[in-house]
Amino acid sequence: MKARWMLLPVLGAAGTAAGSAAGRIRALRGVAPGLRHPAAAMIPSIGPVSLKAVRAARGPSGMPTRGGVTVTHHDVDGGQDVYVYTPAAPNGGALLWIHGGGTIIGAPEIDHQRCVRMARDTGAIVVSTRYRLAPEHPFPAGHDDCFAALRWLHDGAAERGIDAARIGVGGASAGGGLAAGVVQRAVDEGLPVAFQLLVYPMLNDRTPTRPADRRGTLVWTRRSNAFAWDAYLGAGHAEREVPAYAAPARRTDLAGLPPAWIGVGDLDLFHDEDVDYARRLEAAGVPVELLVEPGMYHAADILAARATSMRAFTRAAIGSTGTHLAPRG
């Protein structure tokens, strides 16, 4: 599995792993049968010690092209670097993609195959951006890097044959949360965004303070989430006001945001915050497609990518992206 590289090295590093392993194994028995990948029960919570081990692991090497998609690499003024995935017959649409990792781990390289497929299947150019990670670079560093990539995409739209009115923003997990914040800022600053693709997005910094339930036992846990939000926003963030765009779920006025696709599993820690955000978008008049997948835990579409339900989950996300970024008649 291409994206598992950044999670498995914590097995030997997290001091809390042994105490919760039995609970993760029990939880795995309760997921949809096709999603019972052993790795889901092997990944313990991330904290200060395991974070170092995860970052020390190497990601996948090489960036081969497949399916007629050309990959190029560019630097972004005021931001970081990006990979640009151009399909054989680009249709003028474009998607800024933001990788996951809780804002504390990850890199655009982990989503290479995902971006190749999105470009190939939608006909849109996909731009996958790097961003600075917390806790060394707390908010707004990562957010600013992603927004700079969106501006770079807009500024070069004509040169790349992109219709500036058909640019979307998407991401998975923390990348989905960053995407939601970037979209909010883009709307406020008058930068056009046609669509937002939010794959089990990390939206609400107050989720770690809510009572525990069956969600958040596998892959991305409550402990990981609490550590990540503290790294990104500083300790005590849940009890104080945070800057705009830092925790997208805190925004009260969602009117005027672009159409959204939101997908999450019913065993995912982010289930409640994602469903709530979808309902609030809809109440504000924003078109929303919400997919809640039964028996799905966080990132099951990666760990159990061949499962029938996960193939359908991925097709739904890509299909909605293709529809919203397609040429307009």
Side-chain angles (χ1 to χ4, degrees):
M1 294 296 171
K2 294 291 184 181
R4 218 162 63 228
W5 69 274
M6 67 180 185
L7 295 170
L8 294 185
V10 302
L11 292 176
T16 61
S20 58
R24 294 195 300 272
I25 292 171
R26 286 194 299 271
L28 189 62
R29 297 189 189 116
V31 309
L35 306 185
R36 293 173 187 169
H37 195 292
M42 295 169 62
I43 301 170
S45 298
I46 297 178
V49 175
S50 56
L51 177 63
K52 295 178 182 178
V54 173
R55 288 182 173 178
R58 296 194 175 195
S61 60
M63 299 288 288
T65 58
R66 269 179 33 181
V69 175
T70 301
V71 185
T72 56
H73 187 238
H74 308 267
D75 291 325
V76 172
D77 290 341
Q80 304 298 304
D81 58 306
V82 298
Y83 290 100
V84 177
Y85 301 79
T86 305
N91 63 14
L95 177 74
L96 173 66
W97 178 258
I98 306 172
H99 71 80
T103 75
I104 54 176
I105 58 176
E109 290 83 1
I110 67 173
D111 282 337
H112 172 63
Q113 297 300 333
R114 186 200 299 257
C115 291
V116 166
R117 178 174 178 182
M118 287 193 294
R120 181 194 68 205
D121 291 359
T122 65
I125 291 174
V126 177
V127 175
S128 181
T129 186
R130 194 180 311 278
Y131 55 88
R132 287 167 290 175
L133 300 175
E136 296 86 351
H137 304 285
F139 181 88
H143 168 85
D144 285 345
D145 290 339
C146 296
F147 196 77
L150 180 61
R151 283 204 175 276
W152 179 87
L153 180 53
H154 267 281
D155 291 345
E159 177 184 348
R160 298 184 184 278
I162 294 170
D163 179 354
R166 291 194 285 125
I167 293 177
V169 180
S173 193
L178 284 162
V182 165
V183 168
Q184 291 175 358
R185 180 176 170 185
V187 169
D188 290 346
E189 297 189 10
L191 195 63
V193 174
F195 173 66
Q196 47 185 329
L197 172 63
L198 308 181
V199 182
Y200 36 79
M202 178 179 171
L203 301 168
N204 194 341
D205 68 305
R206 289 170 169 162
T207 291
T209 68
R210 293 178 178 175
D213 58 19
R214 66 194 180 110
R215 300 185 172 104
T217 303
L218 298 172
V219 182
W220 189 252
T221 66
R222 290 181 175 275
R223 185 164 185 165
S224 296
N225 200 43
F227 171 71
W229 277 114
D230 284 353
Y232 191 54
L233 295 180
H237 54 86
E239 288 77 39
R240 65 172 187 267
E241 292 298 316
V242 298
Y245 321 125
R250 294 238 206 161
R251 186 180 177 105
T252 56
D253 183 7
L254 303 181
L257 295 178
W261 186 93
I262 299 176
V264 66
D266 71 350
L267 297 180
D268 195 312
L269 178 62
F270 299 150
H271 170 274
D272 290 357
E273 64 191 74
D274 292 355
V275 171
D276 178 70
Y277 195 66
R279 289 174 176 165
R280 290 176 54 222
L281 284 170
E282 190 172 45
V286 177
V288 179
E289 296 175 73
L290 172 65
L291 174 57
V292 177
E293 182 62 38
M296 178 184 176
Y297 49 86
H298 193 74
D301 58 325
I302 296 172
L303 291 177
R306 296 182 179 181
T308 300
S309 61
M310 294 299 91
R311 289 177 183 268
F313 183 89
T314 299
R315 283 196 303 269
I318 294 176
S320 184
T321 303
T323 297
H324 283 91
L325 300 184
R328 299 172 182 175

